[in-house]
Amino acid sequence: MAVSEAEAWEIVEEAGKREYREAFRIREHLEGYDKRVMASLIESKKVMGEGRL
């Protein structure tokens, strides 16, 4: 069964929302951790700017 373009965009949008919710939940959980502890848990990082990885 073929998926219409509108259905495809809806699927992509929902997947993006789900990923954002998961990332936000992880961020909320980690905000209380000491920066040194977080640094030891991160295997690799990308510096995005002031205070952002």
Side-chain angles (χ1 to χ4, degrees):
M1 178 177 169
V3 176
S4 72
E5 186 175 349
E7 289 172 317
W9 278 110
E10 186 176 324
I11 291 167
V12 169
E13 184 177 343
E14 184 57 38
K17 287 178 184 178
R18 188 171 37 255
E19 289 177 14
Y20 176 79
R21 284 191 301 268
E22 291 172 14
F24 188 76
R25 207 169 23 249
I26 291 168
R27 184 178 138 218
E28 284 182 324
H29 179 74
L30 293 177
E31 281 181 339
Y33 283 95
D34 182 87
K35 288 183 180 183
R36 288 177 294 148
V37 173
M38 287 182 59
S40 71
L41 296 172
I42 299 171
E43 292 181 18
S44 66
K45 61 186 174 184
K46 179 177 179 181
V47 177
M48 305 294 285
E50 182 68 30
R52 293 182 60 215
L53 296 178

